Amino acid sequence: MTIVAPRDATFLRWHGGVEKMGGTPLSKSYYKKSIVAMLFVLIYIAASTAFAQILPLPVLQDLTNSNIKRRILYDAIQAAAVIPFAVTYFRDTAFRKIKISSKWIPWAVIGVCAILVTIILPERVYAFWFYLIIVGCGEEFVFRGYLHRELRKTFNFKVSVILGGLVFGFAHGYSHFMVLGGPITGILSELGGGIVGALVFSAIYEKSHSIGWPILVHACLDFAGRLI
């Protein structure tokens, strides 16, 4: 049994999807790959949440000289866990097709932002790097650079956003429930927000053909929310 591929050709020409073959039928293997990608991300969510439960941490506003080392260790491990997802992105043929200038512009902007924060808000430097590396890079490499990219090899943009957004929202709700002790109903309430977030960041990702821009926007939004 075969099913005709969705016809969002532009993005898939960059990311190795079947659209480059003009809408040829999809085999079941493509759907299996999408399911595997979703399961892989869910396992990552469960593992990172369990790790956060094992190693209780001081929140960012309560960091002191006596507890910052534990926070840095935890964040370093969390960042290392994202490396496999980042590697799949940078090794993808789509990344190699991007012009050199467009490829590194968002990373240059990120560097400029980091320098400005260091100069203007030195007391917020750790918070900025947390939102940049753990939140921005961590979530965008996992959910857009890996999951959305894999889903788009099988589904159109809308379906990919919904599926990826549900996983994205579940990740936030499950973490709040397991680590912060929020209500279990909070998981359901996060699903809608996850889809909205996935819509915004996935659109930026596809339009720019670079994971750097959604990383920057995501990190800046969360960091600005902390400053308010």
Side-chain angles (χ1 to χ4, degrees):
M1 177 180 178
T2 55
I3 301 177
V4 176
R7 296 185 176 276
D8 291 21
T10 304
F11 183 79
L12 291 179
R13 280 199 298 270
W14 285 81
H15 290 269
V18 295
E19 275 313 300
K20 62 186 179 183
M21 297 185 291
T24 54
L26 283 171
S27 68
K28 291 182 179 180
S29 63
Y30 280 97
Y31 292 93
K32 290 179 180 178
K33 290 178 181 178
S34 294
I35 292 172
V36 168
M38 293 179 70
L39 289 176
F40 188 45
V41 171
L42 288 172
I43 291 172
Y44 163 78
I45 293 168
S48 60
T49 302
F51 181 65
Q53 289 179 288
I54 295 172
L55 186 64
L57 292 170
V59 292
L60 292 178
Q61 60 265 31
D62 295 330
L63 287 178
T64 64
N65 290 334
S66 62
N67 61 28
I68 192 172
K69 290 182 180 180
R70 187 170 49 148
R71 178 83 222 191
I72 292 174
L73 174 62
Y74 171 83
D75 289 341
I77 294 173
Q78 287 284 69
V82 176
I83 290 176
F85 297 98
V87 169
T88 65
Y89 171 80
F90 288 116
R91 293 188 64 182
D92 190 78
T93 54
F95 181 76
R96 294 195 292 271
K97 290 178 182 177
I98 302 174
K99 294 180 180 179
I100 296 297
S101 57
S102 300
K103 186 182 297 186
W104 299 114
I105 285 177
W107 303 104
V109 174
I110 289 172
V112 171
C113 290
I115 293 173
L116 291 176
V117 170
T118 301
I119 296 173
I120 300 172
L121 297 169
E123 72 281 3
R124 304 283 188 175
V125 168
Y126 192 88
F128 175 79
W129 284 103
F130 171 82
Y131 287 114
L132 176 61
I133 297 176
I134 305 302
V135 177
C137 289
E139 295 187 3
E140 292 309 311
F141 273 124
V142 172
F143 293 102
R144 254 62 66 184
Y146 173 71
L147 181 58
H148 181 79
R149 179 167 51 85
E150 289 299 314
L151 291 172
R152 285 294 273 124
K153 293 176 182 178
T154 306
F155 303 106
N156 62 26
F157 178 77
K158 292 180 181 179
V159 175
S160 298
V161 164
I162 292 173
L163 292 176
L166 289 174
V167 178
F168 186 46
F170 172 80
H172 288 80
Y174 182 71
S175 176
H176 291 166
F177 171 66
M178 297 297 292
V179 179
L180 302 179
I184 192 171
T185 54
I187 297 177
L188 296 177
S189 66
E190 289 283 354
L191 297 182
I195 294 175
V196 173
L199 173 63
V200 173
F201 298 126
S202 297
I204 295 172
Y205 174 43
E206 292 206 13
K207 290 295 183 180
S208 66
H209 297 296
S210 172
I211 199 65
W213 291 117
I215 286 175
L216 178 62
V217 173
H218 196 156
C220 288
L221 286 175
D222 282 20
F223 181 62
R226 176 176 171 77
L227 294 178
I228 296 175

